[in-house]
Amino acid sequence: MRTAVVTGGGSGIGLAIAERLSKDGYQVAALDLNPPDTGLAPATDVCDRAQVDAALAAVRDRLGPVTILVNAAGTDGFRRFTDLTFAAWQRVIDVNLNGVFHCVQATLPDMLDAGWGRIVNISSSSAQSGQPFMTHYVAAKSAVNGLTKALALELGPHGVTVNAVPPGFIDTPMLRRAEERDQIGGTIEKHIQRTPVRRVGRPEDIAAACAFLVSEEAGYITGQILGVNGGRNT
Ligand SMILES: NC(=O)c1ccc[n+]([C@@H]2O[C@H](COP(=O)([O-])OP(=O)(O)OC[C@H]3O[C@@H](n4cnc5c(N)ncnc54)[C@H](O)[C@@H]3O)[C@@H](O)[C@H]2O)c1
């Protein structure tokens, strides 16, 4: 049975991905600042390499080598660029981009040993469209898309695929917090009217895309950015 690690697996999209992969028959461990109470991995900050290494050692101990990684941990931010401190810029880059660096590097040896692996990076539709007051977030998520493409070329010969899923407008605690703070330009209800499929996205929509991308039959798909956004970005 294959083992999958899902970062950000304690909430929203990451939690739905962990639940879906578990239902599909994978052994799943969540790496999160606030992990679900499975006892598989301690609370982990993906920006801290020592914590990531320790969590992965605990997961390997219990579940064996990790050959599937979904990077869903993320944090947003909302500040006019002229008011953005370098510390706030760095934190958003650290979680959304450097966290992916650490988790990929820390799991890759298992995938290279197995000659098989699947990496899915959850980026953001804002990397396609841009988003005012979120320059740090958009920069980080755009970099994740770039990292995905370059890494796919490097790892293809080793049986490891790397793809990105940029979600758009998914009903999670992150989106609800942004709505409450009036940071999404109106209500979720208003956005639904501007969304071609006329509904808000569900975490399960992202989980379904990930379930496909980590499957055996997706082995010829790599370096791709698969938007899941109800048609809001084409
Ligand atoms: N909800 C959306 O509409 C939307 C849109 C575009 C992109 N995304 C991306 O999807 C991913 C999941 O977002 P969500 O909406 O489920 O948000 P969420 O806030 O519900 O969940 C994010 C999870 O990441 C964890 N996390 C944050 N920082 C961490 C860190 N340093 N180390 C470990 N874990 C950390 C949190 O504890 C939380 O469990 C994020 O990468 C987010 O940027 C979401």
Side-chain angles (χ1 to χ4, degrees), residues 8 10-14 31-34 44-47 72-74 91 95-96 122-125 137 141 167-170 172-175 177:
S11 171
I13 289 170
L31 253 59
D32 202 297
L33 282 174
N34 301 300
T44 305
D45 183 342
V46 294
C47 310
R91 178 66 189 166
V95 176
N96 293 289
I122 306 302
S123 57
S124 170
S125 63
Y137 181 78
K141 293 299 194 179
F169 191 49
I170 308 294
T172 67
M174 185 186 275
L175 184 70
R177 282 192 301 268

Side-chain angles (χ1 to χ4, degrees), residues 78-139:
F78 195 82
R79 188 59 53 97
R80 189 177 300 279
F81 185 72
T82 45
D83 299 335
L84 189 60
T85 64
F86 189 61
W89 166 273
Q90 264 184 322
R91 178 66 189 166
V92 167
I93 302 278
D94 212 16
V95 176
N96 293 289
L97 176 61
N98 298 339
V100 175
F101 169 88
H102 290 310
C103 293
V104 171
Q105 256 199 2
T107 48
L108 205 47
D110 289 357
M111 302 188 200
L112 296 177
D113 280 354
W116 191 96
R118 297 280 187 264
I119 298 170
V120 181
N121 298 321
I122 306 302
S123 57
S124 170
S125 63
S126 64
Q128 294 164 272
S129 60
Q131 188 72 33
F133 314 119
M134 297 185 83
T135 49
H136 43 359
Y137 181 78
V138 174

Side-chain angles (χ1 to χ4, degrees), residues 18-230:
E19 287 174 350
R20 170 65 193 260
L21 297 188
S22 189
K23 200 171 117 227
D24 286 357
Y26 302 97
Q27 306 187 102
V28 182
L31 253 59
D32 202 297
L33 282 174
N34 301 300
D37 192 21
T38 59
L40 284 171
T44 305
D45 183 342
V46 294
C47 310
D48 183 324
R49 182 55 169 271
Q51 286 187 27
V52 170
D53 286 339
L56 282 169
V59 172
R60 284 191 188 98
D61 236 26
R62 288 173 191 161
L63 306 179
V66 176
T67 54
I68 298 172
L69 171 67
V70 181
N71 286 300
T75 191
D76 60 359
F78 195 82
R79 188 59 53 97
R80 189 177 300 279
F81 185 72
T82 45
D83 299 335
L84 189 60
T85 64
F86 189 61
W89 166 273
Q90 264 184 322
R91 178 66 189 166
V92 167
I93 302 278
D94 212 16
V95 176
N96 293 289
L97 176 61
N98 298 339
V100 175
F101 169 88
H102 290 310
C103 293
V104 171
Q105 256 199 2
T107 48
L108 205 47
D110 289 357
M111 302 188 200
L112 296 177
D113 280 354
W116 191 96
R118 297 280 187 264
I119 298 170
V120 181
N121 298 321
I122 306 302
S123 57
S124 170
S125 63
S126 64
Q128 294 164 272
S129 60
Q131 188 72 33
F133 314 119
M134 297 185 83
T135 49
H136 43 359
Y137 181 78
V138 174
K141 293 299 194 179
S142 301
V144 167
N145 285 346
L147 164 70
T148 300
K149 291 187 185 196
L151 199 56
L153 303 186
E154 207 169 308
L155 299 181
H158 302 280
V160 179
T161 68
V162 191
N163 292 288
V165 174
F169 191 49
I170 308 294
D171 194 356
T172 67
M174 185 186 275
L175 184 70
R176 292 282 164 184
R177 282 192 301 268
E179 183 192 37
E180 264 169 39
R181 295 176 195 144
D182 200 18
Q183 292 171 346
I184 59 169
T187 59
I188 290 177
E189 207 43 52
K190 187 172 142 205
H191 275 277
I192 288 173
Q193 301 317 314
R194 295 197 206 126
T195 302
V197 305
R198 296 289 189 273
R199 69 170 173 85
V200 64
R202 304 177 190 111
E204 293 74 17
D205 293 318
I206 307 301
C210 289
F212 171 60
L213 289 173
V214 306
S215 71
E216 196 60 53
E217 63 189 346
Y220 199 55
I221 301 173
T222 196
Q224 303 305 307
I225 315 288
L226 175 60
V228 180
N229 54 47

